[in-house]
Amino acid sequence: MAADISSGGSSTITTYQGQGARMMLPAWVIIGFFLVLPVGMMLVYSFLTKEFRGGVIWDFSLAAYDQFFFDRGLFGDEPPKIEWTYITIFWRSIWQAAVATVLCLLIGFPTAWFIATRAGPARSIWLFAITIPYWVNLLIRTISMKFLIRDNGPLNEFLLAIGVIGEPIGLINTNFAVQLGLFYSYLPFMVLPIYASVERYNMAYSEAAADLYASKWAALRFVVLPIVKPGIIAGCILVFVPSLGAFLAPDLLGGAKNFMIGSLIEEQFKGNAGNWPFGAAASMILLSMVLVVLAFYARAQTKAGDR
Amino acid sequence: MANSDRQVAVKFETVSKRYGTFTALKQVSLDIFDNEFFTLLGPSGCGKTTLLRSIAGFEDIQDGAIRLFGEDIAELPPNKRSVNTVFQNYALFPHMDVTENVMFGLRMLGTSEAEARKRAQEVLDLVQLQSFADRMPNQLSGGQQQRVALARALAPNPRVLLLDEPLSALDLKLRQAVRLELQELQKDTGITFIFVTHDQEEALTMSDRIAVINAGEVQQVGNAREIYEEPNNAFVASFIGETNLIKVDVGEPQDGKVAATLPGGVQLNCSAAVGAHAGSGHLSIRPERVNFCPLDKANLTGTVQRVVYLGTDMQVEVAIQSGQTINARVQNTQMAVIPSIGETVGMQLDAAAARVLGA
Amino acid sequence: MAARLDLRRFPGFLPITWLCLVLLYAPLIVVMVYSFNDSNSVTLWGGFTLRWYVEVFTGPEAPKFKAAALNSLAIAISAAIVATTIATAAATAMLRSGQFRGKSVSFVLINLPLMVPEIVTAVASLVFFSAIGFQAGYLTILVAHIVFCIPFAYLPIAARMQGIEGAYEQAAQDLYATKWQTFRLILLPLMAPGIMSGFLLAFIISLDDFIITNFVKGAGIETLPTAIFGSVKQGIKPNIMAISTLLLLVSVVLVTVSYLLGRKGQTTPTNKGT
C-alpha cells in the first residue's frame, strides 16, 4: 500500500481536488431536474385519482394499484379477488424477456468467444461486423424484421418457392414474432460485453487447467465461465432490462393482441382512454422490477470485485 | 567547506505525514544544501518519494514545515514553486514534440516565444539532443526520453531539481553511463539535485551526501564513506552493503570509542556510533574486514559451514560459539587460502573497521 | 505424437457465430435489396431501379422527411455537444477530484438514464413537461435527449481519462501551468479521442431514439424515426425501405469513423500542439 501511494499510483489522481462538486453540478442539475424529478412525480401520480380524458385529480388514492392487482376492490365488502389481466401481461413480459435473454446468451457467448479468440486482423473484422447492427437504428431493424416475416414477405415467399411449406405461415402478430423481435433487437447487447471480458481473459488459465488434467469443456466450465462471469451478467442485464420495457417489437411485430408492459403503459398516456394514475402505477412496478434486477447485478459485481 | 557556512536550499522541519493509520513520514528534519547532489535512499515504501513529492507540492504535509531557501512553501501550489521534477517514467507530454516539451515550463512562466525557443535549444545542447528537437516522445529510446525529461526540468532554471528514480527504467549499461553525466550536469549547472533511489550503488557513486530513510524516518545523513563505514544503526549497516552484526557486551563509550567484548571473551576497542550505550549491543563488521588467521592470533573462532563461490570473491560462512554465523570474504586470488567445510578457523576482526551501533 | 489441444477452439462455435451474423444481417440485407425493387407490389421482384431513392428526395412525402431529417440532425448535434460537455466535466469530477460530497451518488445519477426503462422515462417526461407547462416541441425533445445521451458520452470519456496517467498533469503543474492551463493544454488534447467517440456515441443515440421522442415531441414536430414510424403504420412502402437503407449507411459510416478514432486513440496522438 505504501509503495502504491509513494509512487503516486494512478489510483487517486487529485489534480482538481476540491472542485469535484462544481464540475458535477451540470450533470446533477440536468439529470436531477429532467429525470429524477419526473420519475418522482410519476410515483406521486400513481397514488392520485384519475381524471377522465387524461390527467389526475389531487386526491390520494390506491385505486391504480388496486385496479392492477385486484378484480373486486380491495376495499369493498366482498373478499378481494385477484385480477389476472395485468399480472398476465407483466408475467408474459418477464417470461419473454427471460427467454430472449437465454436465447441471446446461447448464441452470444459462443460468438463472443469465437471472435475474441481470433488473431489480430481477423478479430477486428469479425468485431466490426458484429458491431454494425448494434449501431443501426432499432426502429429500422424492427421494421426490417417485420418486412421479412410478414405473411407475404420474403421469408414466406422463399419457403413457398423451395416447397418447404404449402401456404404462408402466419408469423407476424404472434407471440413468437415478438419473441423473435426481442431476441433480434438485443442480441448485439449480449455479444459485446461478453466479448470485452473474454478479450481480457488470460489463456494461461486455460493452459493451467489443461495441465491439471481438465478437458477443454471442463476448463470452459470451471475456469473460463467463472472468470468471464461479470461480462456474461452485464450482457444478460443489457438484454433483459430493455426487453422488459420494450415497445417497438411488441407494437410492430405483435399487433394488438400481444401486449407487453411497454404498450400497456403507452396506452394510458396516449389518446383519450388514458388512465394516468394507472399508467404511473404500472411504470413504478416496472421500474421496481428493473431496480431489483440491477441490485442483484451490483451485488454480483461487488463480489466479483472483492475477489 | 563547513556545513554551517553553507546556504540551505531545502529545509525539512519536523515534517510528518499520515495516510489513515499509516505513517509515511515521522518528524523528518533535514537540511539539503545549495549546490549539492543529495540522495534520498531507502527501500520501497520508506517515504523517500513522499518526501520528494512534498517538495514539489504533490503531497500535503500534516505537521512541520518545508522551507525553500528560507521561505515556507507549504501553501504554495506546485506551479508556484521554483523546483522542477524529473518524473519516474518521465511523463513526457505525448502530444508535443521534444522542443515543445522543453519549452512548456518557460511558456507557462510567460517567457517570450523566441526566448523560450533559444533556451530550449541551450538545454537540448546540454543533454546532447540537438538533433532530436522535432521528434515526438514515442520516437525516442528510453535513454533519450530520460534526457528530454531532464532538459524539460532544467529549462526554467529551477533552484532545485528533483529526480524521482529517473534511472530505474534504463538498462544496466546505460544506467552506469548516465550516473556520470548526471553528476557532471549537477556540477556544471550549480543547481541543487535531490535524487531518490532504492539502489545503494547508485547513491554511493553519485551523491555528495546521502540520507538513508526507513519507515518514514531519517536513519542517517552523511557522505558515501560515512554511511558505509560509520553506520549509525543496524538498518543502515545492513541496507548499505553487507555486514555482520555480532552480539557483544559494550563498555561505557568515551570520545566515540568503546570496548566491546566478543563471544569468547576477547575485548575489541572500536568506534561507537551515536546512541551506542553500555550493556548488550551489536557490533557491525563488513565481511571483507574479517580475516582468517592462526588460532592463537584470533579474536574470534568458529567452524566453517559453507563456502560460496562469488566470482571475484569467496564467501565463507563460519558458525561461532554463540551460535551466530559470521560471513567472511576472501579475494579469489592464487594466494588465497580457502578454509574447508568443517574446519575450525581463527578470525581477526579489524578493529578499525568494527563499530558498535546505536539502538 | 500427442494431439494438439487448442484451448481456444470449441466445436460448433464457428457455425453459431455465422448464424449470429446471418440473423443480425438478414432482415437488413433483405430490406436493402428490396429498396431497389422496381415493382409496385412490395414483395414481387420487378427488376432493379433507383426510383424509390428519387422518390425519397422528390416524392410527395419528401418535404415531410426532409424536415424530419433536419430536425433529427439539429437535435442530435446539439444534444451531443451539450451531453459531451457535461460528461467531460463529470468525468473530471469523478476521476480527477478525489473525494467530494455526493460522489458515490453521482455515479448512480450519471448512469440513471441507462437504468430507468425507456418507456418509463418517456411517459414521466411527458407528464412532467405538461405539469410544469413546458410547451412540447424542439426544446422538450432536446432536453430529453441531453439527459439520456449523458451516460453514453460519459462512458468512453471516462474510460479514456482513466487511462491517462496523473504524471502528465503533475509534470505540467511542476512546470508552472495553472489548473486551467493543465486542463486545456494537457488533459483535453490527451482525451480528444475519448471525447470524439463520446460525442459520436451520443450523436447516434440521439439520432436513433424513437420512444422518448415520440412522447415529448408534441404535435407539429417530427424526427426521422417518428416520421418513419408514422408512415409504417400504413404499411411498409418502398420509399421507407430506401430511407432505411440510407440511414443504415449513415450508421455504417459513423461506426467506421468511431472505430478508426478508437484505433488512433490507442496509439499516442501525434497532433502538434502549437
Side-chain angles (χ1 to χ4, degrees), chain B residues 2-315:
Chain B
N3 283 345
S4 54
D5 302 341
R6 302 181 62 179
Q7 195 184 7
V8 177
V10 177
K11 189 179 188 67
F12 287 91
E13 290 170 352
T14 61
V15 168
S16 293
K17 169 144 186 103
R18 284 171 301 276
Y19 300 105
T21 56
F22 175 78
T23 307
L25 299 175
K26 277 180 217 154
Q27 302 272 314
V28 172
S29 291
L30 197 60
D31 285 353
I32 298 167
F33 298 119
D34 192 17
N35 192 13
E36 81 172 331
F37 197 121
F38 192 90
T39 297
L40 302 169
L41 172 67
S44 78
C46 72
K48 56 187 192 297
T49 300
T50 309
L51 214 49
L52 190 82
R53 289 166 59 83
S54 69
I55 304 173
F58 298 118
E59 302 276 356
D60 293 328
I61 55 168
Q62 283 143 343
D63 286 312
I66 303 174
R67 292 179 186 282
L68 184 65
F69 291 94
E71 182 196 3
D72 187 340
I73 55 173
E75 294 303 315
L76 289 181
N79 54 323
K80 303 276 188 221
R81 301 186 184 197
S82 54
V83 297
N84 291 132
T85 308
V86 177
F87 287 81
Q88 188 165 16
N89 294 311
Y90 316 136
L92 297 178
F93 304 130
H95 57 303
M96 300 180 190
D97 67 20
V98 168
T99 308
E100 285 167 340
N101 262 284
V102 175
M103 286 169 69
F104 188 88
L106 296 162
R107 279 181 175 159
M108 293 301 110
L109 286 172
T111 312
S112 75
E113 198 67 11
E115 189 82 10
R117 202 163 282 279
K118 201 173 129 240
R119 174 69 183 150
Q121 265 159 12
E122 271 170 37
V123 282
L124 285 175
D125 277 351
L126 199 63
V127 297
Q128 293 151 26
L129 278 180
Q130 312 85 318
S131 47
F132 295 88
D134 297 331
R135 297 276 186 97
M136 299 305 286
N138 61 1
Q139 299 169 318
L140 301 176
S141 71
Q144 289 163 344
Q145 289 182 15
Q146 192 264 342
R147 282 191 276 169
V148 176
L150 199 58
R152 185 177 72 174
L154 284 172
N157 218 344
R159 307 187 77 175
V160 174
L161 186 75
L162 309 173
L163 302 105
D164 187 3
E165 307 219 15
L167 309 185
S168 60
L170 305 180
D171 60 40
L172 184 68
K173 278 267 185 293
L174 195 55
R175 212 150 61 206
Q176 286 167 341
V178 174
R179 276 181 204 162
L180 287 173
E181 284 178 29
L182 274 180
Q183 228 178 342
E184 278 169 22
L185 202 59
Q186 193 275 317
K187 296 300 163 225
D188 292 349
T189 56
I191 295 172
T192 307
F193 277 32
I194 304 180
F195 185 92
V196 160
T197 184
H198 61 266
D199 182 330
Q200 42 143 326
E201 195 186 321
E202 224 163 79
L204 294 177
T205 52
M206 298 167 77
S207 323
D208 294 327
R209 288 195 309 145
I210 300 165
V212 182
I213 298 171
N214 187 41
E217 289 178 295
V218 176
Q219 306 288 324
Q220 186 168 0
V221 182
N223 63 31
R225 230 188 64 87
E226 282 162 356
I227 64 162
Y228 186 76
E229 295 186 6
E230 296 160 19
N232 271 348
N233 57 29
F235 176 82
V236 176
S238 45
F239 187 73
I240 316 292
E242 262 183 273
T243 197
N244 293 297
L245 294 173
I246 307 173
K247 279 204 179 107
V248 291
D249 283 329
V250 184
E252 197 61 51
Q254 221 171 11
D255 301 334
K257 287 286 185 186
V258 76
T261 312
L262 294 167
V266 180
Q267 237 185 29
L268 204 62
N269 244 337
C270 55
S271 68
V274 188
H277 53 81
S280 86
H282 282 100
L283 179 136
S284 160
I285 180 112
R286 302 283 178 190
E288 68 270 20
R289 296 304 189 94
V290 177
N291 302 309
F292 292 110
C293 64
L295 284 168
D296 54 332
K297 288 185 185 159
N299 43 25
L300 205 57
T301 59
T303 313
V304 176
Q305 294 212 303
R306 222 145 73 100
V307 179
V308 183
Y309 178 81
L310 296 177
T312 56
D313 293 316
M314 305 291 282
Q315 174 168 297

Side-chain angles (χ1 to χ4, degrees), chain A residues 8 10 12-21 23-24 26-39 41-42 45 106-115 117-118 124-141 143-148 150 152-154 157 180 183-184 187-188 191 203 206-208 210 214-217 219-220 241 245-248 251-252 261-263 265-266 269-270 276 279 283-284 286-287 290-291 294, chain C residues 5-14 16-21 23-28 30-31 34 42-44 86 89-90 92-102 105-106 109-110 112-117 119-121 123-132 134 143 146-147 150-151 162 164-166 169 173 179-180 182-183 187 201 204-205 207-211 214-215 224-226 228-229 232-233 236 240-241 243-244 247-248 251-252 255-256 259 263:
Chain A
S10 61
T12 46
I13 304 169
T14 53
T15 317
Y16 300 96
Q17 180 83 48
Q19 287 157 63
M23 286 188 292
M24 194 51 92
W28 270 93
V29 169
I30 292 276
I31 298 177
F33 197 73
F34 292 107
L35 184 62
V36 178
L37 209 58
V39 170
M41 217 171 86
M42 289 292 273
Y45 272 31
L106 287 178
I107 300 284
F109 180 82
T111 304
W113 175 272
F114 179 82
I115 295 176
T117 53
R118 292 308 90 195
S124 300
I125 292 167
W126 280 105
L127 184 64
F128 190 64
I130 214 87
T131 315
I132 285 180
Y134 184 87
W135 290 118
V136 175
N137 193 317
L138 185 59
L139 175 63
I140 287 179
R141 293 178 62 212
I143 292 172
S144 305
M145 184 54 97
K146 184 184 173 93
F147 178 72
L148 180 67
R150 61 189 190 159
N152 53 353
E157 298 279 328
L180 180 69
F183 163 71
Y184 167 72
L187 181 57
V191 178
M203 283 309 285
S206 286
E207 285 166 11
S215 73
K216 204 149 59 165
W217 293 98
L220 184 69
V241 169
F247 173 75
L248 283 176
D251 192 82
L252 288 172
I261 305 175
S263 327
I265 294 173
E266 192 247 19
F269 293 93
K270 282 259 154 157
W276 283 23
S283 299
M284 288 304 111
L286 171 62
L287 181 60
V290 168
L291 291 182
L294 290 176
Chain C
L5 183 67
D6 188 343
L7 294 161
R8 290 179 170 79
R9 268 173 212 282
F10 288 89
F13 278 25
L14 173 64
I16 292 176
T17 306
W18 275 112
L19 175 69
C20 184
L21 280 187
L23 282 170
L24 287 174
Y25 279 94
L28 299 176
V30 165
V31 162
Y34 275 85
V42 176
T43 350
L44 292 172
I86 292 174
T92 313
M94 294 301 284
L95 297 169
R96 289 297 201 263
S97 309
Q99 282 303 323
F100 59 89
R101 259 177 43 168
V105 185
S106 297
L109 193 84
I110 286 178
L112 202 61
L114 295 177
M115 299 183 204
V116 179
I119 185 76
V120 175
T121 308
V123 293
S125 304
L126 168 75
V127 168
F128 178 72
F129 286 144
S130 82
I132 63 169
F134 201 162
V143 166
I146 290 170
V147 170
I150 288 174
Q162 221 152 19
I164 298 172
E165 280 180 71
E169 289 141 73
Q173 288 182 280
K179 291 191 173 191
W180 171 240
T182 305
F183 187 79
L187 210 46
L201 209 53
I204 293 188
I205 291 293
L207 208 58
D208 275 7
D209 180 74
F210 164 73
I211 300 175
N214 192 36
F215 276 85
L224 214 39
T226 62
I228 292 173
F229 185 81
V232 165
K233 279 287 168 188
I236 304 171
I240 293 297
M241 293 197 270
I243 290 179
S244 298
L247 271 178
L248 202 90
S251 299
V252 172
V255 179
T256 313
Y259 177 78
R263 289 230 313 213

Side-chain angles (χ1 to χ4, degrees), chain A residues 143-161 165-174 176-177 252-254 257, chain C residues 34 41-44 236:
Chain A
I143 292 172
S144 305
M145 184 54 97
K146 184 184 173 93
F147 178 72
L148 180 67
I149 65 171
R150 61 189 190 159
D151 288 347
N152 53 353
L155 183 66
N156 270 318
E157 298 279 328
F158 174 74
L159 292 177
L160 281 172
I165 51 173
E167 54 186 86
I169 38 173
L171 275 175
I172 199 79
N173 298 341
T174 63
F176 178 80
L252 288 172
L253 303 173
K257 300 189 304 287
Chain C
Y34 275 85
S41 132
V42 176
T43 350
L44 292 172
I236 304 171

